[in-house]
């Protein structure tokens, strides 16, 4: 199955604009779902937290799932401003993005990410864990950086919970409007083999091979196909292009058409 996840970050600025984008994606996404074999693709929209409930309502009878961009390390308590994973689940949220580099840049470290992952899987949410290096160098130290981040973020996660786990490889230098460029499919392929090896070391062959690895970082409708065919990606975590219904729909179609 290919997974196509839209990370809207703090956009759009109004609910009405968000609903418009979601409506267009729903139309095209539903068509893609219907055209494909059952379970061939899954589309997830992760809007800003304050739009999660209205979008869940809007997308209720569609194949498009709604995800959150963050959740807290525990289900309950006196934690002003935090979001309970259990409350998200109760609303109907299916996925949560954790460990995104933009949250890590705000001070979230691997220990907190690991705690959040455990709380999220306990609440029965599917976790999209983001990992990726800051820069690339000729010596290849970025492998060490990603390996360390991956292992530390997965600390304490039992093998039995890996069915809830998805990895998104997002090199930081490839993310956002200031990105140098997207990674190349061969960069992704190489890194996903490395990530896969780490997952197999940590969870064993069967569980390690079953965890999807997505690519994220300047994905658009022109480069998506290459990541699928040459890179072997299990799908995408899409930022900017997921706010453009036409572009995002073309990315969905690329995933739908891939084997
Ligand atoms: P981008 O963002 O597609 O705009 O580069 C990706 C992400 O941050 O998940």
């Amino acid at each position: 199955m290919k997974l196509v996840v839209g990370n809207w970050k703090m956009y759009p600025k109004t609910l009405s604009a968000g609903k418009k984008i979601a409506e267009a994606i729903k139309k095209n996404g539903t068509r893609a779902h219907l055209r494909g074999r059952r379970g061939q693709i899954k589309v997830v929209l992760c809007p800003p937290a304050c739009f999660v409930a209205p979008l869940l309502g809007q997308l209720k009878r569609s194949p498009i799932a709604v995800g959150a961009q963050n959740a807290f390390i525990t289900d309950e308590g006196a934690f002003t401003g935090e979001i309970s994973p259990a409350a998200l689940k109760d609303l109907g949220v299916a996925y949560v993005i954790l460990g995104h580099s933009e949250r890590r840049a705000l001070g979230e470290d691997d220990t907190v990410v690991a705690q959040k992952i455990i709380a999220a899987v306990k609440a029965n949410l599917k976790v999209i864990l983001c990992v990726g290096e800051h820069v690339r160098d000729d010596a290849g130290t970025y492998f060490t950086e990603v390996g360390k981040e991956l292992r530390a973020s997965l600390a304490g996660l039992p093998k039995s919970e890996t069915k809830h786990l998805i990895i998104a490889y997002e090199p930081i230098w490839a993310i956002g409007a200031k990105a140098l460029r997207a990674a190349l499919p061969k960069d992704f392929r190489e890194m996903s083999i490395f990530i896969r090896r780490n997952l197999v070391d940590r969870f064993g062959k069967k569980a390690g091979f079953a965890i999807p690895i997505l690519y994220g970082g300047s994905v658009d409708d022109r480069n998506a196909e290459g990541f699928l065919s040459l890179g072997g990606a299990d799908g995408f975590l899409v930022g900017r292009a997921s706010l453009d219904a036409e572009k995002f729909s073309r990315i969905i179609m690329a995933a739908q058409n891939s084997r």
Side-chain angles (χ1 to χ4, degrees):
M1 187 191 67
K2 300 283 186 264
L3 189 60
V4 184
V5 184
N7 174 13
W8 284 4
K9 310 193 180 184
M10 235 163 64
Y11 293 102
K13 290 185 202 157
T14 64
L15 176 59
S16 61
K19 283 192 156 176
K20 246 187 229 158
I21 301 169
E23 200 53 38
I25 293 172
K26 176 172 144 184
K27 224 190 302 151
N28 295 327
T30 303
R31 209 174 300 144
H33 269 273
L34 289 178
R35 254 179 44 179
R37 278 173 278 117
R38 216 177 127 78
Q40 192 179 359
I41 55 164
K42 182 83 212 160
V43 179
V44 185
L45 291 182
C46 302
C50 44
F51 299 164
V52 162
L55 252 65
L56 273 165
Q58 186 186 356
L59 298 170
K60 205 172 195 170
R61 265 172 284 279
S62 84
I64 319 281
V66 176
Q69 297 174 16
N70 185 27
F72 196 48
I73 60 171
T74 179
D75 273 352
E76 59 176 303
F79 300 107
T80 304
E82 294 295 349
I83 303 169
S84 153
L88 287 172
K89 183 68 190 181
D90 178 62
L91 269 185
V93 168
Y95 294 80
V96 61
I97 299 170
L98 291 175
H100 191 284
S101 61
E102 286 155 8
R103 294 212 53 85
R104 292 178 188 266
L106 291 172
E108 200 165 296
D109 63 12
D110 292 335
T111 310
V112 172
V113 174
Q115 289 172 322
K116 287 187 169 187
I117 292 175
I118 289 170
V121 298
K122 211 176 102 202
N124 246 324
L125 293 169
K126 287 196 183 299
V127 169
I128 301 159
L129 165 65
C130 303
V131 294
E133 76 278 3
H134 285 82
V135 287
R136 285 210 159 202
D137 56 350
D138 292 339
T141 48
Y142 50 90
F143 284 106
T144 317
E145 184 183 351
V146 172
K148 224 175 117 219
E149 186 178 41
L150 184 70
R151 282 190 297 277
S153 302
L154 294 176
L157 186 74
K159 182 173 161 177
S160 57
E161 300 291 2
T162 52
K163 53 184 182 298
H164 296 298
L165 184 65
I166 296 141
I167 307 292
Y169 169 57
E170 295 208 308
I172 296 168
W173 51 267
I175 296 176
K178 292 193 195 119
L180 294 173
R181 57 169 176 85
L184 299 172
K186 70 173 175 50
D187 299 335
F188 173 79
R189 179 172 279 281
E190 211 177 41
M191 184 57 84
S192 72
I193 291 169
F194 174 78
I195 290 173
R196 180 75 65 208
R197 215 172 51 214
N198 273 271
L199 294 171
V200 168
D201 282 351
R202 173 75 168 73
F203 299 114
K205 235 185 187 161
K206 193 158 175 260
F209 271 103
I211 299 167
I213 305 178
L214 315 181
Y215 171 71
S218 298
V219 175
D220 61 26
D221 49 333
R222 286 162 303 155
N223 62 23
E225 201 276 325
F227 283 104
L228 296 161
S229 59
L230 306 171
D234 293 317
F236 300 110
L237 181 53
V238 187
R240 283 157 295 159
S242 68
L243 285 151
D244 179 323
E246 286 307 311
K247 278 189 190 169
F248 194 58
S249 300
R250 282 197 287 271
I251 296 169
I252 295 170
M253 288 316 293
Q256 201 268 326
N257 288 330
S258 78
R259 287 192 296 144

